[in-house]
Amino acid sequence: IARKRPSAEPSLGDHDDSHFQVPCRDDTMRQLEQLGAMLPAAADRTTHARLLRRLADELARLRSGSSSSTAGNGAAVGSPAKRRQESPPSAAEPPNKRQHLVAAKVEAADPLAAPVRDLQMEGKREKAIDELISTEKSYLDDITILITYFVQPIRERQLLPPDQQTQVFGALETVLGVNKALYEMLVQGDNVGRALGNCAAFLRLYSTFCSSQDQRIETLNKILSKNTALKLFLEQTHKLPVVRKLDLQTYLSKPALRLCKYPLLIREILKNTQARTETL
């Protein structure tokens, strides 16, 4: 049964002020229900994350309204003498610690604190997943530039013999194929853990590729000291806007840098994955 809104607002001196809170809470709860109904229909990850943030903001507003009402009632009931006896917070105590203690007390007494915290964690988790996807796309673009503007022209112009090509470039095309498959699974909304698990065996190629990175770059530098045609080609390619003034050695180091980035990204996703969630 819906609570009837009072026709006239009572004065501030009335003892029962529950009718001040009910309309506000009812309006907010209706907004929360509407937002909650929209979540299953979210077409993409960005829309879903935006709705989650709106839902968290509404819950936080509802919680702050309840807390301020409770604080106001307590001030009215307390006597002036009691209020004078209350000492202000110690100036020596760090402000952030004091705020943390207050927030902990509010969360312990407020049933809305847990939903807000869960939604905030979910928002951070979605942000971490988006970072994994966006950085994967940037990495794919870099490897594509490496193959398109360096590896393929060098092979077509025979600027390096086949054995030196293998020493310098290794299995770059295979590495690119693995990351393309991973990226496609991620953008299609596949489970992050499942996507990484499906590519785990192929990602081991990185261990072989990256273990010889220093030797690969050292070999390239020795070749450049003697191969004038290759050196001239690299100087011309370095001027292309798409290359962004990055040399071949920098592009060859991209796979090793990406390999070091994966644990950091996955750790951030795990940190913001709720304990009751069985999968990433």
Side-chain angles (χ1 to χ4, degrees):
I1 300 175
R3 187 186 296 268
K4 184 178 181 182
R5 186 186 297 270
S7 57
E9 293 185 357
S11 64
L12 294 177
D14 289 347
H15 178 68
D16 184 8
D17 62 352
S18 60
H19 38 269
F20 281 111
Q21 301 301 322
V22 172
C24 177
R25 294 179 67 92
D26 288 347
D27 292 341
T28 306
M29 289 305 296
R30 279 194 294 270
Q31 295 179 20
L32 295 180
E33 291 174 359
Q34 294 174 1
L35 289 172
M38 294 168 63
L39 285 176
D44 51 43
R45 188 185 302 277
T46 303
T47 304
H48 188 269
R50 185 170 62 253
L51 290 174
L52 282 174
R53 286 193 294 271
R54 286 184 56 191
L55 189 57
D57 292 341
E58 292 296 336
L59 280 171
R61 187 163 65 87
L62 180 60
R63 183 182 65 175
S64 62
S66 301
S67 300
S68 61
S69 172
T70 303
N73 293 341
V77 175
S79 63
K82 182 177 180 179
R83 287 198 297 271
R84 284 195 299 268
Q85 293 175 359
E86 294 177 352
S87 58
S90 173
E93 185 180 3
N96 57 347
K97 180 179 179 181
R98 186 163 60 247
Q99 294 172 3
H100 174 74
L101 294 175
V102 172
K105 292 180 181 179
V106 172
E107 290 186 1
D110 189 353
L112 292 176
V116 171
R117 186 170 56 251
D118 291 345
L119 287 172
Q120 290 174 344
M121 180 179 293
E122 180 66 19
K124 292 180 180 179
R125 178 178 179 273
E126 290 298 321
K127 183 179 179 181
I129 293 176
D130 289 341
E131 184 180 359
L132 171 64
I133 295 174
S134 62
T135 54
E136 188 71 18
K137 178 62 168 60
S138 299
Y139 171 69
L140 281 175
D141 292 342
D142 286 339
I143 299 302
T144 301
I145 290 173
L146 171 59
I147 293 177
T148 303
Y149 292 93
F150 289 96
V151 179
Q152 290 178 351
I154 288 174
R155 288 174 177 171
E156 292 171 359
R157 302 180 189 185
Q158 298 182 355
L159 296 175
L160 284 177
D163 59 331
Q164 290 184 346
Q165 292 180 21
T166 302
Q167 294 175 6
V168 174
F169 301 128
L172 271 175
E173 286 85 353
T174 304
V175 170
L176 178 62
V178 172
N179 285 97
K180 277 186 175 180
L182 175 60
Y183 177 73
E184 290 174 359
M185 285 187 285
L186 291 174
V187 297
Q188 290 173 2
D190 198 0
N191 177 272
V192 177
R194 185 184 303 113
L196 292 171
N198 290 340
C199 296
F202 298 100
L203 288 174
R204 293 192 180 94
L205 289 171
Y206 279 97
S207 61
T208 302
F209 189 89
C210 297
S211 62
S212 58
Q213 174 183 318
D214 294 339
Q215 181 180 357
R216 197 188 319 276
I217 294 178
E218 182 180 353
T219 300
L220 175 62
N221 291 332
K222 290 181 179 180
I223 294 173
L224 288 175
S225 63
K226 302 177 182 179
N227 192 328
T228 306
L230 177 61
K231 185 177 182 180
L232 179 61
F233 165 78
L234 293 180
E235 290 176 353
Q236 294 173 347
T237 305
H238 187 263
K239 298 177 182 179
L240 297 176
V242 68
V243 177
R244 307 193 309 276
K245 297 183 179 181
L246 300 179
D247 56 22
L248 177 56
Q249 291 87 335
T250 301
Y251 279 104
L252 287 175
S253 66
K254 294 287 184 178
L257 296 175
R258 186 58 182 172
L259 182 63
C260 297
K261 187 72 174 177
Y262 280 126
L264 301 176
L265 294 169
I266 296 172
R267 191 177 299 117
E268 186 66 18
I269 296 174
L270 288 173
K271 183 176 70 174
N272 293 290
T273 300
Q274 299 180 29
R276 64 174 179 271
T277 304
E278 296 181 357
T279 59
L280 290 179

